[in-house]
Amino acid sequence: MSSATGHGTGDIAVGSLLLASPALLDPNFVDTVVLLLEVNDEGALGVVLNRPSALPVSEVLGEWGDVVDEPEVLFQGGPVSTDGALAVALASPDGLDAAGFKPMWGRLGLLDLDTPRELVDGTVDRLRIFAGYAGWGPGQLQAEVAEGAWYVVPGSVEDVFGGEAPDLRRQVLRRQPGDLAFHATRPADPELN
């Protein structure tokens, strides 16, 4: 799937990142980085990686607060089902078949937080919990990409768990080939340039 411009229109697939373009003005998604967790004929689902909240995981989900990566807070995953939690985990090398783990991309997958914690111990190397998610109906995301609202780029595990959340979008843009890397130096408000 490519466009005439060829700028950041990689495959819309599980594990891809969506980087909000300057044209995307929806306040839910301005300057966001979204990890795609599911892409099929019924649409797409992902979580925003760079919106940490101030709410510690331990206050909402008790003992899961001991397992999550720094910062140990809930992340705002998107505007859909914000009262629910999605746990994105990196399985340990032998944890892909562990209870409650659903592989999505490599060793990355979703962890069911209803799984007893003792069954999870030792099966997950890294964990981040998101309140809510981003969702698109059939063809909706493809249309938004075609309109230039999103840059689609390959993701990495480090994007999910590492990096400074406020600077993640710029970090991901910087490593892209060609013209897309120039967007990393764009001021937040182009009028100030």
Side-chain angles (χ1 to χ4, degrees):
M1 170 166 172
S2 63
S3 73
T5 61
H7 296 297
T9 53
D11 287 337
I12 297 174
V14 171
S16 295
L17 296 179
L18 302 176
L19 306 179
S21 81
L24 186 59
L25 301 177
D26 179 334
N28 289 308
F29 296 110
V30 169
D31 289 335
T32 55
V33 177
V34 177
L35 171 69
L36 288 177
L37 296 171
E38 201 169 286
V39 179
N40 57 39
D41 292 343
E42 292 157 32
L45 178 148
V47 288
V48 175
L49 296 178
N50 59 338
R51 292 247 173 109
S53 74
L55 188 61
V57 169
S58 57
E59 278 187 28
V60 189
L61 295 165
E63 60 186 17
W64 289 109
D66 302 335
V67 186
V68 293
D69 274 51
E70 295 277 337
E72 295 170 355
V73 296
L74 278 177
F75 276 64
Q76 297 167 10
V80 183
S81 296
T82 54
D83 54 346
L86 274 180
V88 177
L90 180 67
S92 60
D94 54 356
L96 288 170
D97 298 324
F101 183 75
K102 178 185 172 192
M104 312 287 285
W105 168 57
R107 288 176 29 217
L108 205 65
L110 291 175
L111 180 67
D112 182 347
L113 293 174
D114 290 332
T115 307
R117 182 52 211 285
E118 59 273 11
L119 295 180
V120 174
D121 284 346
T123 66
V124 168
D125 285 347
R126 303 181 86 174
L127 181 68
R128 179 145 288 156
I129 299 177
F130 299 88
Y133 62 90
W136 294 266
Q140 185 184 0
L141 178 57
Q142 289 81 352
E144 289 181 16
V145 169
E147 290 164 6
W150 299 100
Y151 304 127
V152 183
V153 301
S156 79
V157 167
E158 209 43 46
D159 296 328
V160 181
F161 302 103
E164 287 300 308
D167 208 34
L168 181 62
R169 185 173 172 281
R170 187 165 279 150
Q171 291 169 7
V172 172
L173 276 170
R174 239 184 246 130
R175 70 173 191 243
Q176 301 310 311
D179 294 348
L180 205 51
F182 290 123
H183 290 288
T185 59
R186 176 184 69 82
D189 182 352
E191 301 292 314
L192 299 176
N193 201 358

